[in-house]
Amino acid sequence: MSPRRFFVGGNWKMNGDKKSLGDLINTLNTAQLHPDTEVVCGAPAIYLDFARSNLDASIGVAAQNCYKVSKGAFTGEISPAMIKDCGVEWVILGHSERRHVFGENDELIGQKVAHALESGLGVIACIGEKLDEREAGITEKVVFAQTQAIADNVKDWSKVVLAYEPVWAIGTGKTASPQQAQEVHDKLRQWMKANVSEEVADSVRIIYGGSVTGGTCKELGSQDDVDGFLVGGASLKPEFVDIINARA
């Protein structure tokens, strides 16, 4: 197995309330989680403080988005400085829902990545093609362009986890086959080697997202270049524990 530490992120998206999230947090705090797996939960902004205050210190917390500056007249936005002030150490950026529902482009996502990293947050940076792009045979072109926009804004890759999430597999119940996931992850690692460095290509964690469940996680997690998962719906359920322990 690779020396890269397995990483499992749970993206709660716009779900939960204090009662249901409190129950989930209690489940995670009392479960036997594989000690070699890094676990991070992406909470809605309004619950970041609640999640960080209640989750065991061994489990990380992520914001699901942030803005590209530290403060100012940006109604409805949150900054990395505020996220850090809540004791939270990660942010998810470039998720396909931010790109395709809210219209965020590569340039804005790159600026956000740069500012989050400068502020000392870890970044879970998301990339992935839509169904029409895969069917047109341009998956690599799309994900390489998205990765380039991120890479242009990264100085320290130790603070970045790259999440490959084929948009056609998010919340649809369709999962990329383990072979499809491995193929793209391998191509991404080759791209990193050619465009960043061999050292970064070997060390950066590339995780898979897109309808990951307790049933699909073991085979996906056994692929050489799949270093973990970004989990959506299943991260709100007790089966998230099984996904965390995919390599146990």
Side-chain angles (χ1 to χ4, degrees), residues 92-140:
I92 301 168
L93 290 172
H95 191 277
S96 70
E97 288 149 20
R98 298 305 317 169
R99 294 175 186 268
H100 303 304
V101 181
F102 298 101
E104 295 190 11
N105 61 22
D106 277 338
E107 183 185 15
L108 176 60
I109 291 161
Q111 291 166 339
K112 290 181 175 196
V113 167
H115 180 61
L117 290 170
E118 282 160 13
S119 305
L121 286 177
V123 171
I124 301 166
C126 303
I127 58 175
E129 82 284 5
K130 295 189 291 195
L131 184 58
D132 58 337
E133 293 165 338
R134 175 166 278 269
E135 288 175 344
I138 57 170
T139 293
E140 283 170 47

Side-chain angles (χ1 to χ4, degrees), residues 229-244:
F229 309 113
L230 186 57
V231 185
S235 69
L236 293 157
K237 302 171 186 167
E239 75 180 285
F240 188 49
V241 173
D242 301 328
I243 298 171
I244 291 166

Side-chain angles (χ1 to χ4, degrees), residues 10-238:
N11 180 7
W12 297 348
K13 306 192 181 182
M14 195 176 76
N15 291 299
D17 51 30
K18 284 188 178 174
K19 184 182 185 314
S20 64
L21 295 177
D23 290 345
L24 177 65
I25 287 166
N26 190 47
T27 297
L28 293 173
N29 286 348
T30 53
Q32 291 290 114
L33 304 182
H34 194 297
D36 295 339
T37 296
E38 184 168 5
V39 182
V40 174
C41 292
I46 201 163
Y47 296 132
L48 285 171
D49 210 350
F50 176 78
R52 184 61 287 165
S53 302
N54 289 285
L55 271 169
D56 188 87
S58 65
I59 300 172
V61 177
Q64 297 175 13
N65 192 24
C66 68
Y67 198 51
K68 63 182 180 179
V69 293
S70 59
K71 60 178 198 272
F74 302 101
T75 300
E77 293 291 325
I78 63 170
S79 71
M82 294 170 177
I83 293 166
K84 287 192 74 178
D85 193 39
C86 291
V88 170
E89 49 285 284
W90 289 90
V91 63
I92 301 168
L93 290 172
H95 191 277
S96 70
E97 288 149 20
R98 298 305 317 169
R99 294 175 186 268
H100 303 304
V101 181
F102 298 101
E104 295 190 11
N105 61 22
D106 277 338
E107 183 185 15
L108 176 60
I109 291 161
Q111 291 166 339
K112 290 181 175 196
V113 167
H115 180 61
L117 290 170
E118 282 160 13
S119 305
L121 286 177
V123 171
I124 301 166
C126 303
I127 58 175
E129 82 284 5
K130 295 189 291 195
L131 184 58
D132 58 337
E133 293 165 338
R134 175 166 278 269
E135 288 175 344
I138 57 170
T139 293
E140 283 170 47
K141 182 182 168 202
V142 170
V143 298
F144 291 169
Q146 292 170 338
T147 307
Q148 183 74 63
I150 292 161
D152 288 344
N153 290 284
V154 176
K155 294 187 181 76
D156 178 6
W157 280 94
S158 70
K159 301 280 285 185
V160 178
V161 171
L162 202 56
Y164 168 60
E165 295 201 297
V167 180
W168 49 271
I170 297 174
T172 58
K174 289 182 185 167
T175 313
S177 70
Q179 294 73 30
Q180 283 174 317
Q182 167 59 24
E183 183 184 10
V184 178
H185 285 230
D186 174 53
K187 295 258 172 64
L188 281 166
R189 220 174 281 288
Q190 291 175 30
W191 185 94
M192 299 291 279
K193 193 171 171 179
N195 294 277
V196 183
S197 75
E198 186 160 7
E199 183 188 5
V200 168
D202 287 342
S203 63
V204 73
R205 290 173 293 180
I206 307 176
I207 64 176
Y208 170 79
S211 299
V212 177
T213 65
T216 58
C217 64
K218 272 206 166 359
E219 200 185 351
L220 280 164
S222 69
Q223 304 299 308
D224 285 350
D225 290 294
V226 176
D227 302 313
F229 309 113
L230 186 57
V231 185
S235 69
L236 293 157
K237 302 171 186 167

